[in-house]
Each structure stands twice: as C-alpha cells, then as structure tokens.
Amino acid sequence: MCGIVAYIGHREAYPIILKGLKRLEYRGYDSAGVALLNNGMKVYKKQGKVADLEETLIGKDLHSNIGIGHTRWATHGEPCDRNAHPHTSKNGKLSMIHNGIIENYAQIKGELIKKGYTFQSDTDTEVLLKFIEDIYVNNEGSLEEAVRIALKRVVGAYVIVLLDEDNPDTLIAARKGSPLVIGIGKGEHFLASDASPIIEYTKEVVYVNDYEVAIIRPDELILKNLGNEKITPFITKLDMELAAIEKGGYDHFMLKEIFEQPHTIFDCLRGRLDASAGTITMSGIQQYAEQLMTANRIIMIACGTSWHAGLVAEYIFEELTRIPVEVEYASEFRYRNPVINKGDVIIAISQSGETADTLVAIESAKEKGAIILGVVNVVGSSIARTSHGGAYTHAGPEIGVASTKAFTAQLAVLTMMALKLGYMKGCISEKRYMHLLNELNDVPEKVATALLQKDAIHEIALKYKDASDALYLGRGYNFPVALEGALKLKEISYIHAEGYPAAEMKHGPIALVDDKLPVFFVATKDSFHEKVLSNMQEIKARKGKVIAVVSEGDDAANALVDDLIVVPYADELIAPIINVIPMQLLAYYIGVAKGLDVDKPRNLAKSVTVE
Ligand code: AGP
C-alpha cells in the first residue's frame, strides 16, 4: 500500500510530486523516490521518509514538466535504497512506480533471467518493468501496447505509472485492485493513489477502474481496456476542501481527528436522522429494504478497527432487528470458501474503501449472488463502487494511520441502519425507537463532553506509558470497545495489549495479572454493570492496576479503581460511540509520551491495498 504521484503539464513537476508524496506518506514510509526527465531520465530514491529524500536533492537541477514519485510500504524486498521505487529498465530509458503485489513475478523473473536480464533489486516491480521492456524492445509496437500485453500475463494487484525517455510528453498508467485517481487540469494532469495530492490543483477527477490503461498527455487523457478498446473517462467532482487534509494547528492528525468527532458524527447524522420527526433516511440502504427485511442473516465483513465496528453492530442488529449476524475477518472469509446463499446481505465496512482483503472478499461474495452494502468513508473508493448500495460515513479525510473518527462514524451509520430496519420490521416499539433516536442525536454533544477529560486522561497515560503489557476488558456492547482500545495502544505505542470479554479472564488471561499490569475496563452503566464490577474485584484481588471508564454519577467502582475516567451516560446500545473516546486519547498520549510518530506508526499503513 504504497503512495504514487505523477504529473505532466506546464508546471515544475518535482515540487508537485514532493508535496503529493508527503500527503500520501500515511500509505507507507519505508522509502521514497522520484524520476524526472531532465536531459534524459533522472531517478532519485532513498530509504526512509519523504523528507529524507528531499534532503538529498537540495541544490540539484530538478527542472522537468513530467515526473513520477513513490512512497513505499515494503512487500517484496526489505526497506533500502536498492528496493526503493522508481525502478529503471535495462536500457535506462524507462522508469516505473508500482503499488500492489505481482504474485507470479518469480516465474516471469526466471524467464527474463534466461534471456540475460539481471536485477538490481528484490522487488516484483523491477521484474514487471523489465518484462514490459522486453516486450517493448522485441515488438514493433508502442510502450502502451507492451504494457497491455504484459498485464495480460500478470497475476496480482497493481497501479503502475511509466515514464519513457523517448516519449517525454506521455505517461502510461494502469490499474487492477489498487487505487488510481487522475486529476484533470488545463493543459496538465495529476495522478495519485487518492485525491489528497490533487485537491489543491483541481476538483475534476477520474477514478480509474480495474484492467484500465491510461495514456496521459498534457492536453489529453485516453482510457483503454487491455483489449485496446477505448473507454470514455467518467469525470467526478471532488467534494473535499484542502483544510480537511491539513493539521489545523494540532500536533498530529490523530489528535485533530479525535477532536473532530463531535462534528464528524454530527455530519454523519445530518440529513439522515431527524429526531423531532422521528425519521431515519438512508437512500443508499432503503433501495435494499426488501432484501434486508427478509434477510436470513447479515454478514459483516471488515478488517482491523472496521471489524471492531462490525462486532458492535452485531450486538445492535441482533438486538433491534432479530436478524442473526456474523462478523467475519475479510482475509479469512475470502479463502474459507464460506456458504453464501442467494440474497444473503453482506455489509462491508471500510474507512479507506481500498482494503484489498475486504475488496476481494466482497467481490467473491457478489459473484455468489450476495447483496453487498458498503459502509465506507472514502467517496468513490473501490469498495464503494463494488457495493450494490450502502452509506458513506462522512467523517472527512482520515490521515492518521490509527483510525479514530471513522470508527465512531461507522458506529453511527450502523446504528441508524439497525434502528431503521428494526422499526420497519416492527421488532422495536415506537417508544424504544424514539428513545434510541434521541440518544443517538445527543451523541455529538456527549462526545464533546467526554473530550473535556483530555487532561485527566493525559495524566493517567503518563502513569502507564512504561508498561510492557496491558489488558482491556468490557462486556456486551463494550467488549468490542475494549478490543478497539487494545488495538489503538498496540498501533500507537507498540505496547503489547489484548482486549477480552471481561468474564473470559477467569479462563486463562487472569494469569497475566500482577501489580505491574494496567487493566483498562470499559465499565459504563449498562445491563452488564454488576458483573463488570465483580470482574474488577477479581483483578484487584491479584493486585492488578485498574483503570476504569465509568458513567457520570456512577461511583460504584470508586473503591476498586486506581484511576477513573468519567464519561456522559448513554443507553448501552449507543454508549460505545462515547466510551471509545478515552481509549483513543489514552493511546495517543502514551504514544506521544514515548516520543513515537503517532501519525505514522512503524510497519503500518493507512490503507492496506495488498492481500
Ligand atoms: C486501524 O487503526 C488500522 N488503521 C487498521 O486496523 C484499519 O482499521 C484496517 O486496516 C481496515 O482499514 P479500512 O477500514 O480502511 O478497511
């Protein structure tokens, strides 16, 4: 899940590419590189962050109106200069960047070695480039033709962009599985993995589809399929402002996105939930109301934090709609050969809308006749375009690698869906429906109140920043919140943390408890409260450090805890959206206290576009 950027036009390419790579750095930061045409092909690449590359290029003649750039998340070949992109052809005239994985690269490499090709890197990308070169130099055809022929042999996922010294007014690009957006300007074009590097130059974009090849010149964009048939580009207008992808005075995108949640949840509810009228309007779902109403089961498919949102939604959907729900890890679901019946409803949850595991899982379920409803944040993303219907979460661009505002927006959308469906099915009374509608409507304000606890949470974070392990416990609707708390701490602070249903402790994990282990409880007032208090007793009895998130006015846990975090009370079904806020802030403050890059944690990337 690398970041790719390219430019062709009348402006200086390098500054546009450099700025774009910095915007996409959340997609991978193992190495960075650019290639420009400046009296021939000039390729510059360096292990590390984009800033490290920039440092090495100060003072160099980087003039060019055409160029390609890449920021890498290593898959094939360790992070080092040699494996950094762009890669160069044997004759030095072609340069290429790639996001994705070529699964049959070893076989192709074997064939090329027999033809006398040698390789400077361990990457699948260099193999694909030299495969294209071999076809190009041995066939009379154009580079574009060689690319189409080569891609017919390739197995895997890719976005590639090629720069050709002999065709200095043309870029060639192609896509399958990984995302590619092309920005349309006046006498110029911008290419990127998502819209964030393009937004400041143009709002007119084309989302390239699978198996499409793009031939890009300053004044021309041609799209073709691998069969050489022309395709009319479908231009979309971006509905995003530059400010949305700036830090806005916060130290980190993660902190900004945590504090944006009162607004992003409000934006997510706006125009959909009308508490005074007692209505929920979700056009992208209502089209499939019949299938949902008669569904024998609902399957939630997702990864990571989105999977945790699916787990909370399982509790809510079963409670409100009485439809059985299964929550599946996309990567396991895809290869488990699951039983999919015609009419099964699948809800695919994804912030980026580009997570390969989730994308390929829903593509295979769709082939088997399932209805796919997407709950997605990135507009125009692959999962959104692959789904039959669905709802956007409207959380705005999420730059911090650790998902925060997207999670709470996912919960808001999923709760609205379950409420609407439960009410339509007559599974819940008018009174309960209106109660939950108003509870949901009050969430933005309650989240704002929970955020006021930031200083107290910061204090607690400083107390536990040197822990080597941590446990997160919750029951019922709060169990997935505990899982999410543990994931945030792992991602941001590199502290080993596990989330568990609180009652599950007795069946093994309690052996980990001693006076050095912080145990974070999500213990807000709900139908599991008494049970959670006794679980707290069990931890205290083993001298564990208990940190509890409790509801305003509830002092039942006071005697049991070492540290307390108070949040506004909400109905147990709605509470997870509020209760996760302290979890996000704890992880953030511990990560910062440890001096770590909380926006770009090691080994991670924002959108995992490879399986
Ligand atoms: C969460 O903080 C992580 N970034 C990761 O687990 C993420 O949730 C997962 O990769 C799924 O991403 P998606 O929602 O974009 O599909």
Side-chain angles (χ1 to χ4, degrees):
M1 38 261 166
C2 310
I4 61 117
V5 180
Y7 174 78
I8 182 166
H10 46 78
R11 303 184 212 212
E12 282 300 322
Y14 174 66
I16 292 171
I17 292 170
L18 189 74
K19 199 176 200 180
L21 290 179
K22 286 182 177 168
R23 290 217 188 286
L24 290 182
E25 205 162 19
Y26 63 79
R27 302 177 61 87
Y29 24 89
D30 290 326
S31 62
V34 295
L36 304 165
L37 287 181
N38 170 310
N39 301 325
M41 183 70 75
K42 297 285 187 304
V43 178
Y44 308 101
K45 50 189 183 175
K46 182 107 187 65
Q47 182 182 355
K49 303 241 165 96
V50 177
D52 303 324
L53 171 73
E54 185 180 16
E55 186 70 25
T56 63
L57 299 183
I58 294 167
K60 285 201 184 325
D61 171 8
L62 300 167
H63 164 66
S64 177
N65 300 123
I66 182 171
I68 59 178
H70 185 273
T71 180
R72 183 176 188 234
W73 190 89
T75 54
H76 291 73
E78 62 174 10
C80 62
D81 294 0
R82 211 164 43 79
N83 290 331
H85 297 213
H87 289 281
T88 308
S89 59
K90 183 178 175 189
N91 62 12
K93 288 183 173 292
L94 300 177
S95 184
M96 187 172 94
I97 50 177
H98 168 221
N99 172 23
I101 285 185
I102 307 301
E103 289 167 21
N104 61 338
Y105 87 103
Q107 190 197 340
I108 296 171
K109 188 173 186 176
E111 293 162 19
L112 291 170
I113 288 172
K114 287 201 191 86
K115 288 186 167 188
Y117 282 86
T118 57
F119 294 88
Q120 277 60 50
S121 77
D122 315 316
T123 66
D124 50 344
T125 307
E126 187 187 3
V127 173
L128 176 56
L129 173 58
K130 290 183 172 166
F131 183 46
I132 292 168
E133 176 186 17
D134 186 56
I135 297 166
Y136 188 25
V137 292
N138 293 311
N139 288 18
E140 295 314 311
S142 67
L143 176 61
E144 173 235 322
E145 191 179 352
V147 166
R148 283 189 283 104
I149 294 168
L151 294 180
K152 285 187 186 139
R153 269 281 314 275
V154 157
V155 177
Y158 57 79
V159 158
I160 55 174
V161 186
L162 288 102
L163 189 57
D164 178 3
E165 189 176 305
D166 294 340
N167 291 289
D169 65 345
T170 306
L171 288 171
I172 305 284
R175 181 235 147 131
K176 179 196 170 276
S178 301
L180 176 61
V181 188
I182 300 179
I184 317 285
K186 291 195 178 33
E188 57 188 354
H189 287 96
F190 308 81
L191 288 73
S193 301
D194 67 38
S196 56
I198 294 174
I199 182 76
E200 68 186 275
Y201 307 106
T202 176
K203 294 222 169 156
E204 304 227 319
V205 298
V206 171
Y207 291 96
V208 179
N209 293 311
D210 278 356
Y211 303 108
E212 289 182 355
V213 175
I215 300 101
I216 309 114
R217 300 191 179 90
D219 302 307
E220 190 181 27
L221 166 61
I222 299 168
L223 279 185
K224 288 184 177 180
N225 59 24
L226 295 185
N228 199 19
E229 293 154 339
K230 280 202 175 171
I231 299 159
T232 312
F234 177 71
I235 299 176
T236 310
K237 211 159 182 51
L238 284 175
D239 158 21
M240 188 210 293
E241 296 310 323
L242 194 54
I245 51 178
E246 307 281 351
K247 273 194 199 139
Y250 285 89
D251 293 347
H252 298 98
F253 282 108
M254 184 180 180
L255 189 63
K256 175 198 175 203
E257 288 154 8
I258 290 174
F259 277 85
E260 276 181 335
Q261 290 177 103
H263 306 290
T264 50
I265 297 167
F266 179 82
D267 291 346
C268 179
L269 300 176
R270 185 178 46 208
R272 292 167 164 166
L273 184 145
D274 183 336
S276 53
T279 59
I280 292 176
T281 313
M282 302 179 86
S283 53
I285 306 289
Q286 260 140 268
Q287 306 167 34
Y288 297 92
E290 193 47 44
Q291 288 89 340
L292 276 165
M293 297 274 279
T294 54
N296 301 327
R297 63 177 173 161
I298 292 175
I299 305 170
M300 307 264 179
I301 294 182
C303 304
T305 288
S306 296
W307 186 83
H308 293 151
L311 216 50
V312 176
E314 176 184 27
Y315 286 74
I316 296 174
F317 268 78
E318 292 198 342
E319 171 64 22
L320 298 181
T321 72
R322 307 315 293 148
I323 299 172
V325 173
E326 292 160 22
V327 184
E328 298 280 354
Y329 279 120
S331 53
E332 287 301 310
F333 180 82
R334 168 76 179 76
Y335 292 101
R336 195 186 74 230
N337 189 18
V339 180
I340 301 280
N341 305 321
K342 196 158 178 27
D344 274 348
V345 174
I346 289 189
I347 298 181
I349 310 166
S350 176
Q351 186 288 124
S352 61
E354 300 293 351
T355 300
D357 288 326
T358 307
L359 184 57
V360 290
I362 61 171
E363 282 166 346
S364 72
K366 196 176 175 182
E367 277 155 26
K368 293 183 179 152
I371 302 289
I372 313 292
L373 299 178
V375 172
V376 175
N377 194 44
V378 176
V379 176
S381 58
S382 308
I383 291 174
R385 288 183 285 128
T386 304
S387 303
H388 293 100
Y392 284 121
T393 47
H394 300 310
E398 189 175 68
I399 310 287
V401 167
S403 186
T404 53
K405 62 177 182 174
F407 178 67
T408 49
Q410 286 164 351
L411 293 185
V413 163
L414 291 160
T415 306
M416 281 193 282
M417 284 172 71
L419 258 178
K420 174 91 180 164
L421 189 54
Y423 187 62
M424 285 162 65
K425 287 189 70 181
C427 294
I428 48 178
S429 66
E430 176 79 23
K431 185 163 169 290
R432 180 113 198 267
Y433 173 70
M434 289 307 292
H435 162 71
L436 291 171
L437 218 56
N438 285 292
E439 281 278 317
L440 192 52
N441 199 45
D442 297 344
V443 164
E445 205 183 310
K446 289 180 179 175
V447 165
T449 308
L451 288 165
L452 297 174
Q453 293 293 314
K454 68 177 175 50
D455 298 335
I457 295 170
H458 193 177
E459 283 308 305
I460 295 170
L462 296 178
K463 249 176 100 175
Y464 298 103
K465 69 178 176 56
D466 301 321
S468 55
D469 304 277
L471 275 179
Y472 286 73
L473 303 178
R475 294 182 75 142
Y477 299 97
N478 283 328
F479 159 49
V481 178
L483 288 175
E484 180 56 11
L487 178 61
K488 289 283 101 59
L489 191 70
K490 278 183 269 204
E491 287 186 280
I492 295 300
S493 74
Y494 315 155
I495 294 173
H496 170 240
E498 291 192 66
Y500 268 95
E504 192 56 22
M505 288 299 301
K506 304 187 281 302
H507 308 290
I510 198 164
L512 297 168
V513 178
D514 61 19
D515 59 0
K516 286 183 273 325
L517 184 77
V519 182
F520 298 94
F521 272 87
V522 189
T524 49
K525 250 190 168 316
D526 60 15
S527 51
F528 306 88
H529 196 41
E530 292 314 310
K531 297 262 184 271
V532 172
L533 291 175
S534 31
N535 296 135
M536 252 184 228
Q537 298 270 16
E538 291 155 10
I539 301 295
K540 265 339 275 177
R542 277 93 185 161
K543 304 204 172 2
K545 291 279 179 283
V546 172
I547 305 97
V549 176
V550 301
S551 301
E552 211 161 28
D554 171 28
D555 51 19
N558 289 14
L560 293 168
V561 301
D562 297 272
D563 297 284
L564 210 55
I565 301 167
V566 180
V567 295
Y569 170 80
D571 183 288
E572 65 181 349
L573 198 142
I574 304 291
I577 308 177
I578 299 157
N579 298 349
V580 75
I581 304 298
M583 303 284 123
Q584 297 168 344
L585 285 170
L586 276 167
Y588 172 79
Y589 287 127
I590 291 176
V592 171
K594 293 181 74 170
L596 302 171
D597 185 339
V598 293
D599 277 345
K600 294 195 276 288
R602 71 184 182 197
N603 305 341
L604 288 179
K606 182 64 186 169
S607 126
V608 185
T609 55
V610 292
E611 284 187 71

